Amino acid sequence: MENTTDKPSINSVLKESLGNIQNIAGSDAAEVPKQDNMVVVDYKMVTFSLAGKDYAIDIMKVKEIAKAGRFTYVPNALPFVLGVYNLRGDIIPIIDLRLFFNIDMPEREYDALENMLIVSIGDLTFGIVVDEIDKVVGIQKSTINPPHPLFGDINIKYIQGVVEVNNRLYVLLDIDKIFGSKADNKSSEDAVMKEMSARIAASHAGGAKKQAAPAPKKEERVDYSFVVDSLASMRKFSASMLNDKWMQVRYKEWEGERGKGKTQLQTSNDADLFLKKFFSPFNGTWWDKAYADSIFKALPDNTAKQIVVWNPGCGKGCETYSLACILRKRYPEAKVRIYAHEVDLLSISNAPLLAVPADVANDWYAPYITKKANGDFTFIPEIRDSILFEYHDCANTNNLPSCDIIFARDVLSFLPEPSQQTIVSEFYEKLKGNGIVMLGQNESLEENPKWSTTKVGTITIFGKK
């Protein structure tokens, strides 16, 4: 781990560092748009680039700028955490904003120096890696316009606003929302970042009561990383906090099956074999009675007159219809409304017309089935009318009402890790206080401090703390 040299004070470091980049950028670094009357600069921002686009953050959040590399590896850290860094005796986590926002970037060299902004969020300090740090720009705060999704390749929730200076449009990032801190120090939608930072710092701080687990050997890390990368490229499966426990166990099993040094996934078939044990029971097909009963028992009491359900990633509709039948049985007095979303246009188009096989119609589904004139089986109008099938990407914002139940089996793990975080935050915002979330059998929110975990038989449900 590299150490920075001692300097007189944080304030002097910031003044000198930001002064230097102003000198390099030229005398126009703090210019504001010309107006008829004199304007007062009441807001300064540090500007930088990501993938060729201009971004900025409030200068009051920036402690200093730095160049550093060779960050210390942290086992089981999130993908966008490059490691930790010794900043004059303080151990701080280093976050790559390009990875956080899922921006394409060239392969990193281990010893390459990175451009970093050292930022303070509440009582936490982070290093954030960007492409290039540009200059300090002074503006009038009233010239900041509201955010719009067209202005950046990132989620609008992380954008504070946009501002034009000297014919350059800057996307002003809300650093508090990105790193999960608010002025009132209450939990925010990404408070998991705070816990992660504390966990990283605690594991590396001197004098800790417990010693951090030793990092895996280099060759083991490389083999595991290769599997993670192969799953992402071949099957769009993203290893993350949601599925980390399963991934660790499955990798050890895979290593036992294939042998040490032979864990690489060579083909799509290898990826399918690796993921075969990941999926929940009856994924994409009709449920048997035992599984339907387990879902029924896991559903909480609810006396509401209307039960609102969100089912992202509904596939061809088998899961949604099965869930609708169980909800009808569990809440016979309520009006059930299921919002079923899917990005596969063919599947979502055919779902409302889904035919029911005879063996399924005569199973536990029988009370909810009717026979058409041509002899085919279909669901009764009460079940069909309770479901609204829509073509929608759950990673994008929606106008759903508050939800009693969010049913999302094996969906999040097949999205990029930043999208997973966005959707989990969306779940939290949409869920009622007494609502529940059901994920896949190998997905979990246990590591997220905002969620409670309850086990009902074989089913795990999550709720707001």
Side-chain angles (χ1 to χ4, degrees), residues 142-156:
S142 60
T143 62
I144 300 175
N145 295 304
H148 191 285
L150 293 179
F151 290 128
D153 298 327
I154 63 177
N155 193 299
I156 191 173

Side-chain angles (χ1 to χ4, degrees), residues 224-357:
Y224 180 78
S225 297
F226 187 90
V227 170
V228 169
D229 292 343
S230 297
L231 291 174
S233 62
M234 294 177 182
R235 288 296 177 257
K236 296 184 178 180
F237 181 92
S238 299
S240 67
M241 290 179 67
L242 282 171
N243 50 47
D244 182 66
K245 287 184 178 179
W246 181 85
M247 275 293 298
Q248 298 294 337
V249 172
R250 180 60 182 133
Y251 178 76
K252 288 298 182 183
E253 291 178 351
W254 184 256
E255 189 178 53
E257 295 169 8
R258 296 299 178 99
K260 284 185 177 290
K262 300 179 181 179
T263 57
Q264 295 183 4
L265 307 180
Q266 302 289 352
T267 65
S268 297
N269 185 56
D270 285 345
D272 291 337
L273 289 173
F274 188 96
L275 293 174
K276 187 175 182 180
K277 297 182 179 181
F278 173 78
F279 297 99
S280 300
F282 306 99
N283 179 287
T285 188
W286 305 104
W287 300 351
D288 72 5
K289 187 177 186 305
Y291 187 73
D293 288 344
S294 67
I295 296 293
F296 177 87
K297 293 175 183 177
L299 293 172
D301 293 335
N302 194 327
T303 58
K305 293 183 179 179
Q306 178 166 313
I307 305 294
V308 178
V309 182
W310 183 14
N311 179 210
C314 65
K316 296 180 180 179
C318 296
E319 174 178 275
T320 311
Y321 284 114
S322 302
L323 179 61
C325 295
I326 293 301
L327 292 170
R328 172 49 45 206
K329 180 180 178 181
R330 183 67 177 85
Y331 308 111
E333 303 300 322
K335 178 182 178 182
V336 175
R337 185 60 162 170
I338 303 176
Y339 295 89
H341 293 164
E342 177 57 56
V343 294
D344 185 327
L345 184 58
L346 182 60
S347 293
I348 202 69
S349 299
N350 292 331
L353 307 174
L354 188 65
V356 183

Side-chain angles (χ1 to χ4, degrees), residues 36 38 47 58 146 151 197 212 231 264 278 291 296 300 314 365 376 421 436 450:
D36 293 337
M38 176 79 82
T47 63
D58 185 353
F151 290 128
S197 172
L231 291 174
Q264 295 183 4
F278 173 78
Y291 187 73
F296 177 87
C314 65
Y365 293 91
D376 291 342
Q421 295 181 9
I436 64 166
K450 299 172 66 176

Side-chain angles (χ1 to χ4, degrees), residues 1-2 4 68-69 71 83-87 90-92 94 116:
M1 183 186 300
E2 288 188 343
T4 57
F71 307 117
V84 293
Y85 182 68
N86 189 336
L87 182 70
D90 291 331
I91 306 300
I92 64 171
I94 305 300
M116 291 198 307

